[in-house]
Amino acid sequence: MTRRLLAMILALSGSAAAREIPAGDAPALDAAIASAQPGDVIVMANGVWTDAGIVFRASGTPEAPVTLRAQTPGQVILSGRSFLRFVGRHLVAEGLLFKDGAVSGGHVVAFRGDSDEEASDCRLTNSAIIDYNPPPGASSNWVSLYGARNRVDHCRFSGKNNSGPLLVVWLNGEPNHHRIDRNIFAQRTFYGGNGGETIRVGDSKTSLQNSRTLVEENLFEDCDGEVEIISNKSCENTYRRNTFRRNAGTLTLRHGNRCLVEGNWFFGDGKASSGGIRIIGEDHRVVNNYLADLTGKAFFSAIGFMAAIPQSEPSGYLQVRRALVAFNTVVNCENSIFIGIGFGSRGRTLPPEDSLVANNIIAGKSSPLIT
């Protein structure tokens, strides 16, 4: 028997052993998860699941993940204090809808267990969290990514109005290689200052660690939580081919170095404080982006370089060094390119240095086009 034939037989036998396990209530769901084997699909029955605390603890394989799936996408409604925890490897959750509820001070979806057991190679797909907000004054995160190589894709997140970033990537000292792609982020509101980000990758304490998270082909629409729609706080991340429409904020390289911002589309549609890309740190590349009809000034500029604080703490403003801003198109924006935002205020006395702005197309009604 050849090795190829043996591999085919083993693959067929593995798929034959996989099961589709129905779960109509919480006890049945817990039992199905506890018995799940690689390739199994657990099917949650349509209906409203109130206060469902789902701890998805299992182990699949790359070829045969364990899948938790709605009977019909969007018709398994998780309400009340429902949450989802991924604990294991090669797990997929699909078709779930969180609405008519909230968590306070925690995570709606977390890629780890309660005892800090981090998940890897897991996926949340074709799901939604809509208006899942605690009472005013409470904080929450809708999605928290821990571990490594996890993915959030083809989901909709809409209506978050409280403090706490909507989606957070948490670092543990090693590159995590997460992927956040093809999602819709919409109607993010919060007017309390810091803490209203739509996505935050890292934090000031881990900002010099490599994350290598990929954020691509998402739509950000009416995300007005604060000036930082995306807050980059780690190194070597990629933001590419995303569309930003009518957002009162910017994609902000707040902390960290060596990030790539490439091929994104920013449409302000004339909305107040609509902005583009703000640069802080070293060796960033901002290339091939299109920015149009953005009304923001200074911190909300189409492309902005921050001034820095000498000997700054990591949580402050580090100097822009060796940034490359090239092959971008900026059309009809209030501040097209602003170099040295905040210079002279709050100890910011260092201008950007050793940076290159080249081969950009800038067209506007007001001057100067570069400030």
Side-chain angles (χ1 to χ4, degrees), residues 65-81:
V66 178
T67 300
L68 175 65
R69 189 176 69 201
Q71 179 182 352
T72 305
Q75 294 189 33
V76 170
I77 300 170
L78 297 159
S79 67
R81 296 185 298 275

Side-chain angles (χ1 to χ4, degrees), residues 91-150:
L91 310 176
V92 178
E94 181 178 359
L96 307 178
L97 171 60
F98 289 86
K99 72 173 187 177
D100 299 326
V103 298
S104 180
H107 323 274
V108 181
V109 178
F111 287 72
R112 72 170 185 180
D114 293 335
S115 58
D116 293 344
E117 302 165 288
E118 295 186 343
S120 294
D121 303 293
C122 296
R123 182 182 182 192
L124 175 69
T125 186
N126 195 30
S127 297
I129 305 176
I130 308 294
D131 300 326
Y132 208 70
N133 295 307
S139 177
S140 67
N141 303 127
W142 279 6
V143 180
S144 284
L145 285 164
Y146 297 88
R149 299 176 302 280
N150 295 311

Side-chain angles (χ1 to χ4, degrees), residues 8-62:
M8 292 176 61
I9 292 172
L10 291 174
L12 289 171
S13 64
S15 63
R19 303 168 296 167
E20 186 170 289
I21 309 170
D25 55 26
L29 178 60
D30 291 342
I33 291 172
S35 67
Q37 300 297 315
D40 286 350
V41 178
I42 302 165
V43 181
M44 295 179 66
N46 291 346
V48 178
W49 295 63
T50 304
D51 299 335
I54 304 173
V55 180
F56 189 11
R57 185 189 302 272
S59 293
T61 68

Side-chain angles (χ1 to χ4, degrees), residues 104-341:
S104 180
H107 323 274
V108 181
V109 178
F111 287 72
R112 72 170 185 180
D114 293 335
S115 58
D116 293 344
E117 302 165 288
E118 295 186 343
S120 294
D121 303 293
C122 296
R123 182 182 182 192
L124 175 69
T125 186
N126 195 30
S127 297
I129 305 176
I130 308 294
D131 300 326
Y132 208 70
N133 295 307
S139 177
S140 67
N141 303 127
W142 279 6
V143 180
S144 284
L145 285 164
Y146 297 88
R149 299 176 302 280
N150 295 311
R151 184 181 181 193
V152 178
D153 67 285
H154 295 90
C155 295
R156 182 180 180 91
F157 304 103
S158 178
K160 191 175 193 297
N161 65 9
N162 66 312
S163 65
L166 189 157
L167 188 154
V168 186
V169 173
W170 302 92
L171 277 65
N172 63 4
E174 298 292 332
N176 46 56
H177 300 282
H178 296 313
R179 184 178 177 189
I180 302 162
D181 64 294
R182 298 170 178 84
N183 303 288
I184 296 173
F185 298 92
Q187 286 77 55
R188 170 66 168 116
T189 59
F190 172 62
Y191 301 100
N194 287 334
E197 304 97 331
T198 299
I199 293 178
R200 194 186 77 206
V201 183
D203 57 39
S204 58
K205 295 178 182 178
T206 62
S207 60
L208 297 182
Q209 297 178 19
N210 293 333
S211 175
R212 297 177 186 156
T213 289
L214 173 61
V215 180
E216 68 174 350
E217 298 179 0
N218 301 283
L219 171 64
F220 298 85
E221 191 170 67
D222 294 311
C223 292
D224 304 336
E226 60 156 273
V227 64
E228 300 171 17
I229 305 165
I230 295 178
S231 183
N232 179 87
K233 294 187 175 182
S234 50
C235 299
E236 299 186 3
N237 300 307
T238 297
Y239 305 94
R240 68 186 183 195
R241 298 194 297 272
N242 300 286
T243 299
F244 297 81
R245 184 176 292 277
R246 296 189 309 275
N247 301 291
T250 66
L251 190 169
T252 303
L253 303 175
R254 182 64 181 86
H255 303 306
N257 304 316
R258 304 181 301 280
C259 292
L260 173 64
V261 181
E262 180 180 25
N264 301 283
W265 301 79
F266 294 81
F267 300 102
D269 293 346
K271 182 174 181 175
S273 298
S274 52
I277 303 159
R278 188 158 55 106
I279 304 167
I280 304 149
E282 300 181 357
D283 299 298
H284 296 306
R285 292 172 292 155
V286 176
V287 296
N288 293 317
N289 299 284
Y290 183 89
L291 308 99
D293 302 314
L294 303 171
T295 67
K297 301 179 181 180
F299 283 76
F300 296 83
S301 298
I303 298 176
F305 295 73
M306 283 296 301
I309 300 171
Q311 299 178 334
S312 176
E313 296 293 327
S315 59
Y317 286 89
L318 298 175
Q319 192 172 21
V320 179
R321 292 191 176 102
R322 299 178 300 277
L324 172 64
V325 175
F327 304 106
N328 301 287
T329 300
V330 186
V331 179
N332 194 33
C333 295
E334 188 69 28
N335 278 169
S336 298
I337 296 181
F338 195 123
I339 299 173
I341 297 170

